């Protein structure tokens, strides 16, 4: 199948300086879990804000001046590009600096970067989304897109896994999606706890128990590497074809424009060939991609 979601050389060199960030203002900080938060940004320049657009799966490079730059998926709805949301786990210098931001402060942003989920190719198919922990972030704009175009898709199922109920991101979305009736939501945690009345068990095990039919169904997964590894094994066991399974590798992106050469996996450069890949593409790479 011809790819229509790739970043072209024209997209990169067409910009005056792809390394030069725009300035954005923090408008809101949302605590998701004890060590994960989301920040919402708006571009400072009115013309940039007016013309900005992105597609589900694309990323941005966020820089805190004096601390560095890191890659995050834009996880707000693509239909509302005037406000951009990014979700951050505090693990390093730059993510710690981002975690300390307050509304009104300024950051640098280079976006949108990378390719996107080929949603138009999936029309009329059933959609199975499998996320773990903060790995729900890249899948969130995809879910919004499908919900906004609900009549173009078949069944929509989300299997979301977290260590504990408190470790779930976007609890406000999960509650709303569950009530909507437009999505089959299955949630699981690693170990049973008081008050939890949904699934218990690791994501791949729950997926295997659910036994979703692979017929005319696209599966998209993102989460911790170990979860992705065993989820892909279960999908293979369930007879999902490799061209109907997708994941995103944005954590391997570096400069975002494919110039520094540090994002390559085999002959693929994640910054320009990805971060979204089908399993069929990844199986052609002669080295581990997880």
């Amino acid at each position: 199948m011809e790819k229509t979601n790739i970043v072209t050389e024209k997209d990169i060199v067409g910009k005056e300086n792809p390394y030069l960030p725009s300035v954005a203002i923090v408008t809101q900080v949302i605590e998701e879990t004890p060590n994960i938060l989301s920040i919402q940004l708006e571009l400072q320049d009115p013309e940039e804000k007016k013309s900005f657009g992105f597609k589900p799966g694309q990323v941005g490079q966020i820089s805190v001046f004096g601390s560095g730059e890191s890659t995050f998926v834009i996880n707000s709805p693509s239909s509302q590009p005037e406000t951009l949301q990014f979700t951050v786990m505090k693990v390093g210098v730059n993510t710690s600096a981002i975690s300390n931001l307050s509304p009104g402060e300024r950051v640098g942003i280079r976006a949108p970067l990378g390719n996107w989920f080929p949603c138009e190719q999936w029309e009329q198919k059933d959609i199975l989304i499998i996320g773990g922990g903060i790995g729900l972030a890249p899948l969130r704009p995809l879910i919004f897109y499908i919900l906004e175009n609900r009549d173009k898709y078949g069944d929509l199922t989300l299997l979301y896994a977290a260590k504990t109920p408190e470790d779930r991101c976007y609890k406000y979305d999960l509650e709303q999606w569950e009530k909507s009736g437009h999505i089959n939501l299955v949630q699981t945690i690693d170990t049973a706890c008081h008050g939890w009345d949904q699934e218990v068990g690791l994501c791949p095990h729950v997926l295997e128990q659910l036994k979703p039919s692979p017929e005319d169904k696209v599966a998209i997964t993102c989460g911790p590497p170990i979860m992705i590894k065993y989820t892909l094994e279960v999908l293979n066991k369930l007879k999902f074809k490799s061209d109907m399974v997708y994941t995103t590798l944005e954590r391997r992106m570096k400069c975002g424009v494919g110039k520094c050469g540090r994002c390559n996996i085999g002959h693929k450069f994640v910054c320009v060939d990805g971060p979204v890949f089908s399993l069929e593409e990844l199986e052609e790479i002669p080295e581990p991609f997880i």
Side-chain angles (χ1 to χ4, degrees):
M1 183 179 294
E2 183 181 358
K3 292 195 71 171
T4 57
N5 64 331
I6 59 173
V7 180
T8 66
E9 186 72 7
K10 183 180 177 181
D11 294 326
I12 297 172
V13 301
K15 296 181 178 179
E16 188 174 342
N17 182 349
Y19 290 105
L20 184 65
S22 301
V23 175
I25 301 171
V26 178
T27 58
Q28 189 173 3
V29 178
I30 304 168
E31 183 177 322
E32 303 286 358
T33 76
N35 66 336
I36 297 173
L37 59 83
S38 295
I39 59 169
Q40 293 185 351
L41 309 175
E42 292 185 10
L43 291 168
Q44 179 175 266
D45 184 278
E47 290 302 316
E48 282 189 296
K49 182 177 178 180
K50 184 178 179 181
S51 61
F52 187 88
F54 72 96
K55 296 185 178 181
Q58 288 194 291
V59 308
Q61 295 270 358
I62 304 297
S63 54
V64 177
F65 306 117
S67 294
E69 185 179 59
S70 303
T71 305
F72 305 98
V73 167
I74 309 171
N75 65 63
S76 42
S78 56
S79 59
Q80 302 170 34
E82 63 277 4
T83 299
L84 306 174
Q85 179 167 306
F86 301 85
T87 299
V88 180
M89 177 182 286
K90 186 178 178 180
V91 293
V93 174
N94 195 45
T95 52
S96 295
I98 294 173
S99 299
N100 291 327
L101 291 169
S102 301
E105 294 192 87
R106 287 169 170 75
V107 296
I109 177 172
R110 294 192 293 124
L113 300 170
N115 69 348
W116 53 90
F117 292 110
C119 303
E120 294 179 355
Q121 294 179 18
W122 301 342
E123 291 182 3
Q124 309 309 317
K125 300 185 185 305
D126 293 341
I127 306 295
L128 170 62
I129 295 175
I130 308 161
I134 197 173
L136 186 57
L139 308 173
R140 185 173 184 253
L142 173 63
I143 294 170
F144 281 127
Y145 180 89
I146 294 173
L147 290 175
E148 291 168 355
N149 296 274
R150 196 66 193 87
D151 59 330
K152 295 181 179 179
Y153 298 90
D155 288 343
L156 171 60
T157 298
L158 168 62
L159 169 57
Y160 181 48
K163 287 184 179 179
T164 71
E166 291 73 28
D167 290 315
R168 294 173 300 154
C169 293
Y170 319 118
K171 300 178 189 69
Y172 40 93
D173 287 335
L174 295 170
E175 183 178 354
Q176 191 170 20
W177 292 339
E178 193 165 41
K179 291 179 179 176
S180 73
H182 298 303
I183 180 170
N184 306 312
L185 176 60
V186 180
Q187 299 186 72
T188 183
I189 58 173
D190 289 359
T191 307
C193 67
H194 178 71
W196 181 257
D197 60 358
Q198 302 194 45
E199 300 288 339
V200 175
L202 299 177
C203 183
H205 296 161
V206 175
L207 175 64
E208 193 164 7
Q209 292 170 0
L210 292 175
K211 295 181 180 177
S213 168
E215 186 174 353
D216 216 22
K217 182 174 290 167
V218 179
I220 309 102
T221 185
C222 188
I226 192 69
M227 189 210 87
I228 295 178
K229 172 182 169 61
Y230 288 106
T231 295
L232 293 178
E233 288 185 9
V234 172
L235 290 172
N236 182 56
K237 188 185 295 185
L238 294 170
K239 308 297 184 187
F240 276 76
K241 296 179 180 177
S242 57
D243 63 345
M244 299 287 273
V245 177
Y246 286 77
T247 190
T248 175
L249 304 178
E250 81 282 349
R251 64 187 176 83
R252 301 195 63 147
M253 294 180 75
K254 301 300 179 184
C255 71
V257 293
K259 298 300 182 184
C260 74
R262 296 167 55 216
C263 66
N264 70 299
I265 309 174
H267 63 283
K268 296 285 188 182
F269 286 82
V270 178
C271 285
V272 291
D273 296 313
V276 174
F277 292 95
S278 68
L279 182 56
E280 181 181 41
E281 294 174 282
L282 294 174
E283 287 176 341
E284 297 174 356
I285 298 174
E287 61 181 86
F289 57 86
I290 296 177

